[in-house]
Amino acid sequence: MTDKTIDNAIVNPKTYAHVDEFHRLFTQLRKEEPVRWTEPDGFRPFWTVSKHADIMEVERQNDKFLNDPRLTLQTIEVEEEVKKFTGGNSKLIRSLVDMDNPDHRNYRGLTQAWFMPPNLKAISARVEALAEKYIDRLEAKGGECDFVSDVAVWYPLRVIMTVLGVPAEDEPIMLKLTQELFGSTDPDMKRPDATETVNTVTEFFNYFTAMTEDRRKNPKDDVASVIANATIDGEPIGHLEAISYYIIVATAGHDTTSSTAAGGLLALMQNPEEFAKLKANPEGLLGGAIDEMIRWTTPVKHFFRTAAVDYELRGQKIKAGDNLLMCYWSANRDEEAFDDPFSFKIERSPNKHLAFGYGAHLCLGQHLAKMEIRALYKELLARLDHIELAGDPAWVEASFVSGLKRLPIRYSMK
Ligand code: HEM
């Protein structure tokens, strides 16, 4: 591959829908140019960081590597469209992942306790009941279905919307908007209009503005009420920040978990010995299997950091103001961080994957995500008799949050 072909492949959404192609490209980068200056057509240039140790080195130093102002891969065209809309700002929302300290610490502190294991215990029975309901739905499909569109997308959506406080009848709109936001580069998922990202975010804004007003008047026992009534230093939080908070919880909270649930099932079907071990001892092996599913699928493919100072990373001279693309999926196949990284092993130990990121921005919802996947698989493993692929799986064409969009299965229940 020429230099330009490599740069264009790194940003091409199609690369992320062809798993083998992706891993060939990044295996080569890790070996030959682990911190690579990248100048793709139609994108502002950046450093591509593909190794596990380097991503940790960057993310651990959140005073030297900032989340603001560049966060995800966007074409210059989309960036310009957003700037026109916002009057100069290259981002439409300002959520936790967009913030640096002191704001990040303050805003994260508002909901952090809510998402920690002691608090999550209070909702575990509800999550288990939902898992049962969605495996009932699988059973009702009668032996053949698309695991993604029939089960995997709906269950985490229901869980996160319950946590947030969105009523069940509004879930289809939440699903549509999230899929448009993360799948805006996939022909099956994008909006038909030209200013798609702006319009999607505007719809989210309208929905959550009404919700804020409601929760200020009638607070309930949900995360929406925590956000709507939050104060920092005695002052109510900003409107943009409140709406952005809902958006990140609503969106980050389900597509990622759906991708893990579906990608994990495919990995188990493709590794029947691992599947058999797990079926024989779900109690003992499920925790490790879930970590391996998350490493294997790595639903969040990247985030950016921007250098605040000049810095040398693996011999490359990063200048203050340069952007760095943290490639989590590549880090999670790094031969120097994992034994036999291309094997799916449910008993992998240690398994220090970076699928939830690292450092101050480490995923807020990681315990919830694991709890959900555990509840779903506990139910599935207890009731499943036989399962096999019933057609070709397909992956979403997206370089930011992506996973399976189709997983046809044939199965029988006990
Ligand atoms: C942040 C992955 C599930 C909410 C992140 C980050 C990653 C990630 C990679 C950025 C970390 C960094 O920059 O170092 C995932 C994966 C999930 C998942 C793979 C499922 C398997 C969830 C769930 C929620 C959630 C269920 C629900 C609340 C968030 C939030 C942040 C975040 C709010 C921003 C944290 C911050 O900037 O301080 N997640 N996530 N995520 N995630 Fe998740």
Side-chain angles (χ1 to χ4, degrees), residues 167-410:
E169 64 268 22
D170 292 344
E171 279 170 16
I173 177 78
M174 287 291 131
L175 181 65
K176 173 181 147 309
L177 293 178
T178 309
Q179 289 186 334
E180 284 171 6
L181 201 65
F182 292 149
S184 65
T185 47
D186 187 290
D188 290 346
M189 289 174 178
K190 65 195 294 220
R191 291 174 80 106
D193 44 0
T195 51
E196 52 216 24
T197 309
V198 168
N199 289 346
T200 301
V201 173
T202 305
E203 277 193 51
F204 266 129
F205 254 82
N206 294 342
Y207 184 90
F208 286 127
T209 299
M211 190 168 197
T212 308
E213 284 162 11
D214 175 67
R215 293 304 195 279
R216 284 189 181 148
K217 279 188 228 130
N218 316 298
K220 296 187 181 157
D221 179 22
D222 56 28
V223 170
S225 302
V226 176
I227 296 170
N229 298 293
T231 55
I232 291 178
D233 295 333
E235 297 291 324
I237 62 171
H239 185 61
L240 172 68
E241 285 76 10
I243 303 295
S244 304
Y245 221 129
Y246 297 126
I247 295 181
I248 192 169
V249 171
T251 56
H254 67 89
D255 236 34
T256 47
T257 315
S258 309
S259 292
T260 307
L265 187 60
L266 176 61
L268 287 170
M269 288 190 286
Q270 289 173 333
N271 294 276
E273 284 173 19
E274 297 298 292
F275 207 169
K277 265 195 275 180
L278 183 59
K279 273 192 209 151
N281 180 12
E283 201 50 43
L285 298 180
L286 197 47
I290 291 166
D291 278 329
E292 183 67 342
M293 288 178 195
I294 297 171
R295 178 188 80 92
W296 193 248
T297 52
T298 310
V300 178
K301 301 301 187 275
H302 74 262
F303 268 116
F304 272 99
R305 294 294 187 267
T306 296
V309 292
D310 292 351
Y311 190 91
E312 192 168 317
L313 184 66
R314 212 174 269 271
Q316 295 286 16
K317 300 217 173 338
I318 314 288
K319 289 201 282 312
D322 285 356
N323 307 127
L324 298 91
L325 182 79
M326 307 286 110
C327 301
Y328 301 124
W329 209 11
S330 169
N332 286 343
R333 294 290 189 282
D334 189 339
E335 301 73 4
E336 282 183 350
F338 299 96
D339 284 339
D340 200 5
F342 285 93
S343 294
F344 178 82
K345 298 183 187 173
I346 61 168
E347 290 166 288
R348 181 178 291 283
S349 175
N351 191 352
K352 294 192 164 48
H353 66 72
L354 298 182
F356 289 124
Y358 188 70
H361 289 269
L362 181 70
C363 177
L364 181 68
Q366 61 160 326
H367 303 293
L368 174 62
K370 288 194 211 177
M371 183 173 118
E372 279 177 55
I373 301 167
R374 172 181 279 278
L376 188 73
Y377 271 89
K378 201 173 150 207
E379 190 68 20
L380 180 66
L381 291 167
R383 292 167 59 181
L384 193 66
D385 180 37
H386 170 79
I387 184 165
E388 62 189 32
L389 264 179
D392 290 333
W395 282 262
V396 176
E397 291 177 12
S399 61
F400 174 36
V401 176
S402 67
L404 283 165
K405 68 175 169 188
R406 214 168 36 243
L407 183 62
I409 53 169
R410 194 172 301 117

